Structure formats: C-alpha cells, structure tokens
Amino acid sequence: MRHVISALVQNQSGVLAHVAGMFAARGFNIDSLVVGRTEDPNLSRMTIVVVGDDRVLEQVRKQLAKLVPVVKVRDFADIAYVERDLMLIRVTVGPQHRPEVVELVNLFRGTVVDVAMDSVVVMLAGPEDKLEAFVDLVRPYGIAEMARTGVIAMSRGQQKNAAAKEDS
Amino acid sequence: MGKTTKTPGKHKASTGKCTGMSGADVLHQMLLDEGVEILFGFPGGTVLPIFDVLYRSPIKFILTRHEQGACHMADGYARSTGRVGVVIATSGPGATNLVTALATANMDSVPLVALTGQVRSTLIGNDAFQEADVTGITRPITKHNFLVKRVEDIGRTVKEAFYIARTGRPGPVVVDIAVDSTVARLQGEPDLTPNLPGYKPTTTGNLRQIKSAASAINAAQRPVLYVGGGVVISGASAELRKLAEKGSIPVATTLLALGTLDERSPLALQMLGMHGSAAANYAVQDCDCLVAVGARFDDRVTGNLAEFAPRAKIIHIDIDPSSISKNVVVDIPVVGDAKDILARMLEHIKSNDRSDWLGKIAQWKKRHPFKYETDGKIKPQEVVARLGALTDHNAIIATGVGQHQMWTAQFYGWRRPRQIITSGGLGTMGFGCPAAIGAQFGNPGATVIDIDGDGSFCMTMVEVITAARYQQPVKFVVLDNEYLGMVRQWQEMFYGRRYSAVSHPCPEFAKIAEGYGACGMKITERSELDDAIRAMLKQPGPVVLHVAVEPEENVYPMVATGKALHEMDLGKLA
C-alpha cells in the first residue's frame, strides 16, 4: 500500500542525507521525497511517499522517529488529508493540434506557461493520479520532458469527517 | 506512551566564565563537567590544539598504537563500568580507523563519544590533506553525529553528544570538530542549552501494558524469559532475578546478557541461539509465553524466524520502539527502561512454582549439558573451564570473535552482569585485546582476561604494548588452533571440508609478548594447563599465554542457518 509520510525535521545540514541514508540502508523504497521550509525557520518538513505493507511502514515510521534530528512523524494512512504534486511537462505539439492540448489543460485546470512553434510547457498541480491521467492523455502528442516536485500533503481541518475524500 | 526523559535544562558551563576561552579549552571543560576521567586516542594535525590542552589536564590520556585499539578500549571501559567511553582521533585516516570500532559499539548499544579533528572549516569539501567526510562515513554506524565549525557550538554540541550517548538506548556519538574552531576564542558566554527537540527517549513503561504482560505471564504454563544486553545496560539484573524467582520463570540469556542471572541458579538456561544450550533452545521452542527483555530477536538467536517459539505469546520489553515487531510480531509490547518496567511488573506477577515446567527444564539441562572430551591435545573448552574455576568465575572476560568466543560463553560460568566484554552484534575480530585493556583501566585491581583466538588476536595484538607501557595487568590467553576456526568449522560442515584460506600458522606469541614488554608463556600439554594459568594470574603485569589447542574442535550445539532452534546439531553432546 502507498503511504504518504510527513516528517518534521530540524533544519540543519546533513538531515536529508541522514533520512535518505536510513531508507537506503534499511532497504525501504522511496517513491518521492520532498523537503521544504515550514512556518518555523528551525524546522523543515519532509514528505515521503513509501510503498509497503503494514509491517514495513511501522518500521519506516519508527526508524524515522529514532533519528535524532527528526522531531515528529505522521503517516496519513488513516486520516483525511490533501496531497499535491506539481508538474511541468513539455508536450511536443505544433499549431495544428495545439488547441486540443490547450483544451485538455483547461479541463485539468492547468496552465500553459510557455509556448513555442513545436511545443508547449504546461504546469499542472494535483494529486498524483490526476497528473498521471493528464500524462496519459497527452502522451500521443509526444512528451519531450517532464519534471515533478513529488507529493506534499497536509491533514484536513475537520478530522471528524474521516471519510472526507480527496478532491480533484 | 509513558513519560519521557527530561532534556537537561538551560545552563552555562560550570566555570561560569567561558569568555575568552579557546574552543579546545571549552571542549576540555565540558569533558571535566561530564566527569570524564580517562581518554583513549592518538594525536594528529587537526587535534593539536586539543592535545595542547590535555598537556596540563587532570584527565588521564592513554596513547594507543592504533585508533581502532583506542576506540575498542573506550568500548571495553564503557561496557565494564557503565560509564561513557571517550576516544580522540585526528581527521582523515585517524577518524576512518575508528569506523570498525564505532560500528561495533553501535550494534551493541555501547555509550561512546568519539571526538575527531576535522580540517579547517574553510577547507572542508576541498579534498584537503587528511580530509575525510567523517560525519558522512559514520552516520549509519553511530547513534548520532555532529560536525562543529564554530567555537560557539563546541560546548553545547559536546554536552548533547554525551547526553545522547548515555540515554535511551545508548550508542556511539561522533563529534567532528574543525580545527579552527578549537583555536578560536569565545567572544561571549556560549549558550549550552541542548537543542534536541526530536530526541525524547521513553523510559517509563505504560502501566496498562505492564499489567497486560503480567497477566499473560500469570496465565502461562511454560513461560521463558529471553534476556538481552538491555538488562545489563539498564542495571536491572536484580529486578530480573526477583521476577524470575517469584514466577519460577527460566531465563535464557543472549551472549551480551551472560551473567545477568548467576548460572548456578536452577532457573538459568545459559545462552540461547545458534550455539546456545540445548535446554535454552528447547525451552524457547516449547514455551507458551516468551518474555523478551532488552533483546532484539537477532538472527543468531532466533534461527529460522518462521519457526521461532511457535507456540508462544510474545511479550517484548525494550527501550527502543523500533526494535519491537522488527523481526518477530509481538503480542504485548512494553516500551521503556527494563529496570523500571521489571520492578513495576513484579507486583503483578503471581507466585507460582511451575514444577512441571521446571522439571522438564531440569531434565534437558541434565541430559544435554555443554561438554567436551579430555583426550589428545588440550581442548579449547577445557582452557575456558579451567580459567573459570581458577578465577572463581569472578574475572572480567573479554573475547575476540569466533569459536573461542562461543566456548567462552558456554564454559566460563557467569556470575554477574558486565562480566563478559564481547562483540555480539557486529562480530568484530580483534575486539578482545584492546577491549580487555579498556576494561582494566575502568576496573583497577580486578582480574581481566582476554580469552582470544589466534585469528582475532593477530588483528590487534599490537595493543599489548599499550598494556605493558601503562602497566595494566591484563592476561591474554590465546587459544591457538592454527586455523580461522569458525570459518573452518563451516567449511567442514557445509562445504565438504574444502578448507579455503583458513590455515593460520601463528608466530611465537610468547616471544612477541616479551618484545612488547609483557610476560610471554606457551604451553602445549594438558599437564601444564593449571600451573600455567596459576602462574599467569600471579604475574603482576600483563601476560600473553599461548595455548596450542586441538586444531579441529567444533562448537556444539549448532543451529545451521535456516534451521529452527530445536533442529540444532548436538554433535558430540547428543
């Protein structure tokens, strides 16, 4: 099962190597790992997407929490949360088919951020499966390049409604 | 979750006025504040400012012949005393020479602080002379590490390092210090308040879990305690004994926990696992409730995991949450310090004589004791047994790694915790000689013996020079079978006796000892054994006793890789 794990870590040099090294040494597979600033300048947040069964994930959480610079670990598996991944994708499309691609971009609430004679660069944010769906739809036109940030996540405000579904 | 340990509060260095002190002075002051009485190490370019302060320090400095030896000495000192061992090495090769010893301490949860010099902060990353990425190299083999580049950070970081090393599940901590920060002088008072928001080890066990564990034990017909090094570290052997006696629960110990229960107790099953006693292994496989305390279900203990303790409800008491359900799914976990948990659990344990279960155990012990034959050449086992008898089972014993280590575990006759100093988790050959010297420094007046193999001893025997120079009366007993014995045993049993790269002809250790400034002795006959041991023990200084033993003796019982504990090969014990 895919788990999104959020770790609050001390903002100091070596922390990323510490966390990434632990994952490698213990054989845990990382789908994506994002590090960024938080509201507290002393702390950074790592959002890590890991695939594994319950026992593997229990170890992932515990081994993360054991690292001295890791302040707090949260697994979003059992709580309502929102996740976003940001993608830049260069689609090889000339003037003839460009309107079709732009229509897809609009349907996905994306933005065309660069246009050239033979390509467009599209920016799209959303949960991973939405991005995957878009990629599948533009693949026939040709994908020259793609860059993604990886997932960041946050719990929803109303925890009582645990069944709250992810919006698109 | 239970309560967590308090982090030390805001405080300034004890001297009050650090202003104007050099970084090296601050470091030295922090060592004094921590109560450090002895340092092991080796000097070099980037630690010159620190050694300049040590020139006039009340702290004893032990110059070893190799940094690895220094770190194993700090380890032996720490294991035998319970205090934090401290080692100093220079940058680059000095620090990389610590790596094996740091990994050894990490696997066995030994509290160490390693202070390493680093090149000037402005040169870091430039491939400077004697530069190595020491925090990068040691990160996976330490509990934590730090790189210090500013004089203002030295005090706080050293304080944090000691705190992390000795609390929770202890372990080695490296503080890598750029040389310019030790030369620079403090402009004001440093802030020594620890900044460790992510480090809060749980020490007090959850009462509901403790009660639930106690009722599972009370309900069990055939419980077994499986005790590991955590009980030694926690100082919980008295609590363990009370619990075992009240509930009539037999106790199997890991290699690192030998002596937590006096082996003369009828409840003592001795060591379990790959070369454990038949009684311990049968008891674990037959038990209906396994109570693991400060142990981590290592593969050398469990054998085939799928068939380990198949009928048992498993209770696991450990201070490290990540140890729980790592290898074996645990029914009742209790996170916290073993001493606290066992003491509180005792009230909830019902007295129970469990005579059927103890009767069965007594039979196993009687039928399959550890044993050896006494024909032909001197048997390595009998050297260990005679050492036990002639030291009244009261010596501190260090070992290397291999067959001799297992025979030492099986035959010495352990009476108390912190008596065995051995590399369990990492299995580091060469550990014994320096670790024994470190243990002697921590226990002046005690009889300290390194029972070593010829393979292990050769790796670090240069430190006999250190023992001689500082007049540490360590006795080194080298069981020489002219083989790398454990590897040879595996080749005999599993590789059709194709002895590949295990023949290990040895030099005259007694002559080397004399050359090193120690006393050297060699024996080859059984008739000489007791006299030689007595003569060795009488010597006021260090002695190397070279004993030529039966070359192809094997360690039994043996649980082959992939087999369950009850499928052990009893060999000659059958």
Side-chain angles (χ1 to χ4, degrees):
Chain A
M1 189 186 160
R2 174 181 176 273
H3 287 243
V4 179
I5 290 182
S6 162
L8 212 52
V9 302
Q10 284 185 276
N11 180 15
Q12 49 191 223
S13 65
V15 180
L16 177 59
H18 211 146
V19 170
M22 185 279 286
F23 272 79
R26 297 198 179 266
F28 303 140
N29 281 317
I30 301 178
D31 257 23
S32 72
L33 188 159
V34 181
V35 197
R37 281 185 280 193
T38 64
E39 70 285 3
D40 181 343
N42 298 312
L43 299 174
S44 303
R45 185 179 301 281
M46 289 190 186
T47 310
I48 308 160
V49 178
V50 192
V51 176
D53 61 22
D54 287 351
R55 279 194 66 191
V56 170
L57 263 294
E58 183 182 338
Q59 270 299 305
V60 168
R61 287 192 299 272
K62 286 174 168 178
Q63 294 294 347
L64 264 176
K66 188 173 168 177
L67 301 179
V68 172
V70 174
V71 178
K72 197 174 168 189
V73 178
R74 186 174 203 183
D75 186 341
F76 287 112
D78 300 317
I79 38 179
Y81 73 103
V82 285
E83 65 167 68
R84 288 294 180 271
D85 188 354
L86 177 69
M87 172 171 72
L88 291 174
I89 183 167
R90 190 189 308 279
V91 183
T92 46
V93 62
Q96 193 187 349
H97 296 292
R98 193 185 291 141
E100 296 167 24
V101 171
V102 171
E103 191 185 347
L104 280 173
V105 171
N106 289 336
L107 281 170
F108 277 78
R109 285 183 254 166
T111 316
V112 175
V113 291
D114 182 63
V115 185
M117 275 307 291
D118 54 354
S119 70
V120 292
V121 177
V122 176
M123 178 182 78
L124 186 59
E128 280 188 327
D129 52 355
K130 174 178 161 182
L131 268 53
E132 297 297 341
F134 181 80
V135 170
D136 286 344
L137 286 168
V138 295
R139 182 163 290 127
Y141 299 97
I143 296 167
E145 212 178 351
M146 181 168 84
R148 286 167 67 162
T149 59
V151 167
I152 54 170
M154 198 169 276
S155 64
R156 288 181 173 278
Q158 288 186 326
Q159 286 294 311
K160 280 174 199 163
N161 183 8
K165 280 272 187 259
E166 172 74 339
D167 68 4
S168 52
Chain B
M1 292 298 272
K3 287 179 199 163
T4 55
T5 43
K6 289 194 185 96
T7 37
K10 201 173 177 80
H11 108 355
K12 304 278 184 186
S14 62
T15 45
K17 284 279 172 230
C18 289
T19 309
M21 273 185 160
S22 74
D25 281 324
V26 176
L27 169 65
H28 180 244
Q29 186 58 51
M30 297 313 296
L31 296 179
L32 291 174
D33 285 2
E34 290 293 335
V36 174
E37 55 171 22
I38 190 165
L39 299 168
F40 303 90
F42 203 99
T46 57
V47 283
L48 277 167
I50 298 171
F51 277 84
D52 193 45
V53 176
L54 293 177
Y55 183 72
R56 51 194 147 76
S57 171
I59 302 174
K60 189 169 186 168
F61 183 81
I62 306 305
L63 175 64
T64 63
R65 302 292 155 154
H66 191 288
E67 288 90 348
Q68 182 187 357
C71 200
H72 285 322
M73 279 183 211
D75 182 319
Y77 172 88
R79 290 187 205 230
S80 63
T81 63
R83 296 195 282 268
V84 179
V86 188
V87 58
I88 300 188
T90 194
S91 62
T96 57
N97 275 347
L98 300 178
V99 165
T100 301
L102 289 171
T104 305
N106 195 47
M107 285 290 261
D108 291 346
S109 310
V110 179
L112 293 187
V113 170
L115 305 166
T116 53
Q118 180 54 276
V119 299
R120 268 186 288 143
S121 56
T122 49
L123 289 179
I124 292 176
N126 283 358
D127 299 324
F129 176 65
Q130 291 194 330
E131 180 183 0
D133 174 13
V134 171
T135 48
I137 290 167
T138 61
R139 194 171 286 124
I141 52 157
T142 53
K143 185 171 175 186
H144 194 50
N145 65 24
F146 298 94
L147 171 60
V148 181
K149 296 185 196 174
R150 304 184 323 146
V151 62
E152 296 82 6
D153 297 333
I154 290 179
R156 190 194 72 251
T157 308
V158 173
K159 198 176 165 70
E160 289 174 347
F162 275 87
Y163 178 66
I164 292 170
R166 67 166 183 264
T167 53
R169 178 178 175 176
V173 179
V174 169
V175 186
D176 196 32
I177 310 173
V179 60
D180 49 329
S181 70
T182 60
V183 177
R185 292 192 177 272
L186 276 173
Q187 298 304 309
E189 284 298 292
D191 184 1
L192 298 178
T193 314
N195 178 26
L196 299 169
Y199 183 72
K200 300 180 205 78
T202 303
T203 53
T204 311
N206 177 302
L207 183 61
R208 195 151 34 107
Q209 292 298 94
I210 291 174
K211 283 185 178 168
S212 154
S215 49
I217 294 169
N218 290 334
Q221 311 280 316
R222 302 181 310 279
V224 168
L225 277 154
Y226 149 39
V227 173
V231 171
V232 178
I233 295 165
S234 166
S237 57
E239 288 77 6
L240 174 88
R241 182 175 46 77
K242 282 182 204 156
L243 188 94
E245 284 173 356
K246 188 170 179 189
S248 301
I249 310 168
V251 177
T253 51
T254 66
L255 178 63
L256 293 186
L258 288 167
T260 44
L261 184 68
D262 187 322
E263 290 190 344
R264 287 171 295 187
S265 163
L267 294 172
L269 294 168
Q270 301 180 278
M271 184 169 74
L272 80 164
M274 180 175 273
H275 295 298
S277 74
N281 287 344
Y282 287 145
V284 166
Q285 292 303 84
D286 200 35
C287 74
D288 60 354
C289 179
L290 184 73
V291 189
V293 192
R296 58 187 180 84
F297 297 87
D298 177 86
D299 57 278
R300 285 296 190 270
V301 158
T302 62
N304 183 352
L305 264 182
E307 291 183 65
F308 176 69
R311 283 175 278 279
K313 180 167 255 192
I314 295 182
I315 297 167
H316 191 180
I317 300 169
D318 206 290
I319 199 159
D320 177 4
S322 73
S323 276
I324 288 169
S325 293
K326 184 174 69 181
N327 300 333
V328 168
V329 180
V330 170
D331 298 297
I332 307 173
V334 193
V335 176
D337 181 65
K339 193 180 177 81
D340 164 77
I341 291 167
L342 292 177
R344 285 159 66 218
M345 190 180 283
L346 185 66
E347 311 162 26
H348 304 284
I349 295 288
K350 292 198 184 110
S351 288
N352 189 336
D353 66 8
R354 293 195 163 91
S355 48
D356 286 357
W357 179 224
L358 293 190
K360 201 169 180 185
I361 294 216
Q363 272 193 347
W364 282 324
K365 285 173 75 166
K366 199 171 166 198
R367 200 175 304 155
H368 307 292
F370 291 127
K371 64 180 179 196
Y372 56 90
E373 288 153 355
T374 47
D375 56 341
K377 288 195 162 187
I378 303 176
K379 295 291 189 291
Q381 301 96 318
E382 73 181 306
V383 179
V384 176
R386 294 313 297 156
L387 281 166
L390 294 171
T391 55
D392 206 16
H393 307 276
N394 196 33
I396 295 171
I397 304 290
T399 78
V401 168
Q403 287 184 313
H404 72 277
Q405 178 190 30
M406 294 297 103
W407 287 318
T408 302
Q410 293 176 342
F411 290 98
Y412 183 75
W414 305 98
R415 299 289 183 259
R416 59 186 163 81
R418 297 199 184 278
Q419 211 180 347
I420 186 164
I421 310 295
T422 193
S423 168
L426 197 69
T428 305
M429 287 176 70
F431 176 78
C433 168
I437 298 169
Q440 184 77 75
F441 275 113
N443 297 269
T447 302
V448 179
I449 303 175
D450 170 31
I451 302 179
D452 226 326
D454 52 299
S456 283
F457 189 62
C458 280
M459 288 194 174
T460 52
M461 65 182 176
V462 69
E463 299 301 348
V464 172
I465 305 171
T466 310
R469 174 189 174 179
Y470 293 99
Q471 296 170 318
Q472 295 300 302
V474 180
K475 315 304 180 209
F476 304 92
V477 178
V478 185
L479 305 178
D480 175 13
N481 54 11
E482 296 186 51
Y483 277 115
L484 300 174
M486 189 60 95
V487 181
R488 185 207 56 73
Q489 177 172 343
W490 283 55
Q491 289 177 346
E492 177 189 329
M493 296 173 82
F494 310 119
Y495 292 88
R497 292 185 69 98
R498 291 184 297 281
Y499 288 172
S500 179
V502 290
S503 162
H504 190 255
C506 286
E508 290 297 336
F509 291 120
K511 286 184 184 169
I512 291 175
E514 298 286 347
Y516 282 172
C519 170
M521 299 162 66
K522 182 177 183 182
I523 57 169
T524 53
E525 302 301 322
R526 174 166 293 109
S527 58
E528 305 170 291
L529 180 60
D530 276 19
D531 285 346
I533 292 173
R534 285 198 191 92
M536 171 186 83
L537 293 171
K538 242 181 245 162
Q539 277 286 333
V543 180
V544 175
L545 172 59
H546 183 170
V547 186
V549 297
E550 176 69 46
E552 297 197 44
E553 190 69 11
N554 286 340
V555 182
Y556 290 110
M558 172 150 187
V559 180
T561 313
K563 298 273 189 179
L565 290 187
H566 62 274
E567 297 172 301
M568 72 196 124
D569 181 352
L570 289 167
K572 292 177 189 169
L573 277 57

